[in-house]
Amino acid sequence: MEGKARAIAIDAGGEVMVVDDVFMSNEPARFENEDWHRLLVHIKNLGASDLHVKSGEQGRVRVQGRVAPVTRRRLELAEVGHLARLLYQGDNAELEIKGGKPLDGAYALRLNRDSGLRFRYNASACDTRGGTGIKITLRELPEEPPPLDVAELGQDVVDAFVLNSEGVGFVCGATGSGKTTLLAGLNRYILEMKDSDSVIETLEHPIEFTFDRVHKSASSLITQRAVPEHVPSFSDGVRNVLRCDPDYIMVGEARDSATIEAVLLAATTGHMVFTTLHSYSVGVTFRRIASQVSQGQDAAAVIGGIIDACRVIVCQSLYPDTSGRRVAVREVLVFNEEIRTRLIKTAARSLTELPVVAQELVKQFGQTKLVHAKRLLAEGRLAQRYVDLIDLEQSRLQSSGEGNEEIDPTSILARAVTQLRAAPSSHALSQVAESLVAKFGEQLVADANHAANAGRIDPLYAEVLQQAEYTLMERKHGQD
């Protein structure tokens, strides 16, 4: 109901506080630049992770998973358009959005000479009460990355990323699963090492964490570049930074065949590369890479090169822990020669067998998500229902066949994939997935995972539906 407040329990420095009214004070009759800036400061003080602004609706915030209104009245289209222009720093923002072009970027708000706030934003067109409206989502970007939790990740995993002189390490998961945070933590770890003697070059879209306040070793240097502001693409950026004497290269996302080829080039010419993929498991990671290789290219050769260069794969999902925060549940495989040999032989024989063999190797040499979840349960950090959910998902993956039949174009899954493919941005993709899972339930997720494992749909769509199922379940339990 418009104007109604909602109590939210938030963690404040280890103590749980109940906020009865999250509304900003002195809400204006119409939002102008300074009002939007005050609202951004307000959500920072609330500890909110996200701000949702949609024309015709109250503004809303997400605080540790809970969603509540932050404005007392519904926002007008002109006000939301004003925010879009402020963030985009261009008068044509509304025209771009209403023309079907989503806007993604970062916005910096300077508070004083020594401090400020940074936000990542997505702005896109949407349907509102029969017309075209604007939806903007903002997420605060921390001033510096959190220190890497070596004990939580595992020293062997950290070493696989930072002690190899060349190769590639993958961090995988859905949007919002903490991939960028983990990579930033690894960069900070390298920068803080004594006698690091390391040059790090990053390629990001957008730059989420900065390292100005990190106490860096005198023998380390990091240079960050944004796509497309500083370089036109990830693949072009990799080829550029190869001329910058790097020891480590961070590539925000291996999103296409050109980027994968560039990553492989860097990883086999004396550089350690960190990058991300949208995949739920180690096995699906290889399926995902194969699906992105250019038509007519020798997929087996590319996969073989990736396997030979690969040093570690971490696949993670975030779940609410027992304290109300979030904890990463991870599947991990640190590569050795036996793993590489078995995977290369499998890839040469049949790419469709690769995900199955990879998951067998995770059980033999690595850590499955279920094993990690059970350990967190034993430590009192994760609820049993999330362990059961992970167990169910792993059972689904194991029971999925490897058939090659096409999906029925009239099926619910085919129609769902069509809607997901049409999503104009990663944020919109997540929203469409949540809508589909809410409508069709867990059977759609199971069908998508089966089809992805059989190579009939892009694994990205199975992963985003899976993450939507987790999000909806988390939201449901948060309201109980």
Side-chain angles (χ1 to χ4, degrees):
M1 185 171 118
E2 186 171 340
K4 183 178 179 181
R6 176 182 175 187
I8 291 185
I10 64 173
D11 187 308
E15 296 183 3
V16 175
M17 299 188 341
V18 176
V19 179
D20 292 316
D21 188 349
V22 300
F23 293 139
M24 68 178 293
S25 60
N26 301 318
E27 182 178 322
R30 179 185 174 88
F31 276 84
E32 303 289 348
N33 284 8
E34 289 306 312
D35 304 307
W36 287 120
H37 288 163
R38 283 200 304 114
L39 181 57
L40 294 180
V41 172
H42 176 63
I43 68 168
K44 164 67 175 179
N45 294 336
L46 282 177
S49 60
D50 300 271
L51 170 64
H52 296 266
V53 176
K54 180 181 176 182
S55 52
E57 297 279 352
Q58 292 172 263
R60 287 174 171 82
V61 289
R62 184 184 296 276
V63 183
Q64 296 188 11
R66 308 296 296 275
V67 177
V70 72
T71 66
R72 291 178 172 80
R73 61 178 180 82
R74 299 176 187 271
L75 299 169
E76 298 177 5
L77 175 59
E79 293 177 286
V80 182
H82 187 110
L83 175 60
R85 294 194 300 274
L86 175 66
L87 299 173
Y88 190 59
Q89 298 183 2
D91 291 337
N92 61 332
E94 290 174 89
L95 291 175
E96 296 271 10
I97 293 169
K98 292 181 179 180
K101 178 184 176 182
L103 304 180
D104 290 286
Y107 181 74
L109 171 59
R110 180 60 54 190
L111 299 178
N112 54 51
R113 184 176 178 179
D114 300 317
S115 65
L117 301 176
R118 296 176 65 248
F119 295 86
R120 180 178 63 195
Y121 69 85
N122 169 270
S124 58
C126 63
D127 181 76
T128 54
R129 300 187 180 185
T132 298
I134 298 175
K135 167 69 189 300
I136 300 175
T137 306
L138 295 102
R139 170 167 291 187
E140 186 190 358
L141 302 176
E143 287 189 275
E144 63 183 62
L148 186 68
D149 190 336
V150 177
E152 184 71 30
L153 187 59
Q155 188 66 60
D156 62 329
V157 179
V158 175
D159 290 347
F161 276 106
V162 307
L163 295 187
N164 282 294
S165 59
E166 69 174 13
V168 59
F170 290 98
V171 176
C172 307
T175 301
S177 61
K179 301 186 297 294
T180 302
T181 302
L182 177 54
L183 288 179
L186 286 165
N187 286 334
R188 176 171 179 166
Y189 182 87
I190 294 167
L191 292 170
E192 292 179 333
M193 287 192 306
K194 184 179 180 181
D195 298 325
S196 174
D197 294 320
S198 298
V199 173
I200 303 173
E201 302 283 343
T202 79
L203 302 162
E204 306 171 63
H205 175 66
I207 294 172
E208 297 197 17
F209 295 95
T210 59
F211 296 84
D212 296 338
R213 298 191 176 189
V214 172
H215 182 69
K216 297 180 280 290
S217 163
S219 62
S220 64
L221 175 67
I222 185 167
T223 302
Q224 296 175 268
R225 293 177 175 85
V227 175
E229 289 84 356
H230 302 137
V231 290
S233 66
F234 285 120
S235 56
D236 289 329
V238 171
R239 291 181 171 85
N240 175 69
V241 301
L242 285 176
R243 297 187 288 269
C244 299
D245 185 35
D247 296 288
Y248 301 90
I249 302 172
M250 190 192 93
V251 180
E253 184 181 352
R255 59 174 55 164
D256 51 41
S257 60
T259 304
I260 290 173
E261 293 170 31
V263 164
L264 183 56
L265 172 65
T268 54
T269 52
H271 313 89
M272 186 63 198
V273 184
F274 307 155
T275 191
T276 74
L277 280 170
H278 288 274
S279 59
Y280 175 81
S281 66
V282 171
V284 175
T285 297
F286 289 112
R287 178 83 70 190
R288 176 78 173 140
I289 294 170
S291 72
Q292 291 177 326
V293 173
S294 301
Q295 293 292 326
Q297 195 173 17
D298 187 347
V302 175
I303 294 292
I306 290 291
I307 293 169
D308 192 47
C310 195
R311 300 296 178 259
V312 58
I313 298 177
V314 176
C315 301
Q316 65 181 38
S317 301
L318 295 182
Y319 293 87
D321 67 10
T322 51
S323 71
R325 298 181 179 180
R326 297 189 179 191
V327 62
V329 178
R330 296 185 173 108
E331 178 170 294
V332 177
L333 184 62
V334 176
F335 279 55
N336 58 32
E337 286 307 312
E338 181 177 350
I339 291 172
R340 289 192 192 92
T341 299
R342 288 176 59 179
L343 288 175
I344 289 173
K345 286 182 177 179
T346 302
R349 183 174 64 248
S350 171
L351 286 179
T352 60
E353 295 178 21
L354 194 58
V356 176
V357 174
Q359 290 308 126
E360 291 174 355
L361 291 169
V362 171
K363 292 179 181 178
Q364 182 179 354
F365 294 99
Q367 170 187 271
T368 66
K369 285 186 178 178
L370 183 58
V371 167
H372 189 200
K374 287 181 176 179
R375 187 168 77 243
L376 293 171
L377 174 67
E379 295 171 356
R381 299 171 58 194
L382 191 67
Q384 180 68 53
R385 63 176 176 269
Y386 296 115
V387 178
D388 293 340
L389 182 63
I390 294 168
D391 192 8
L392 174 63
E393 175 53 29
Q394 293 210 344
S395 297
R396 286 175 182 166
L397 291 173
Q398 291 170 5
S399 63
S400 294
E402 290 293 331
N404 294 315
E405 70 274 12
E406 296 297 324
I407 59 174
D408 180 354
T410 65
S411 67
I412 290 174
L413 176 59
R415 296 200 301 270
V417 169
T418 299
Q419 292 183 49
L420 292 169
R421 189 178 290 124
S425 66
S426 59
H427 175 73
L429 184 68
S430 298
Q431 288 185 316
V432 172
E434 288 182 22
S435 175
L436 289 167
V437 174
K439 183 176 182 180
F440 297 111
E442 66 177 28
Q443 187 58 51
L444 175 61
V445 181
D447 291 346
N449 281 320
H450 179 92
N453 283 335
R456 300 194 301 273
I457 67 170
D458 190 324
L460 169 64
Y461 301 130
E463 169 63 18
V464 76
L465 288 169
Q466 182 68 70
Q467 187 63 35
E469 184 181 38
Y470 295 155
T471 300
L472 292 173
M473 176 172 285
E474 175 186 334
R475 196 173 296 157
K476 177 180 181 297
H477 285 294
Q479 294 170 348
D480 291 344

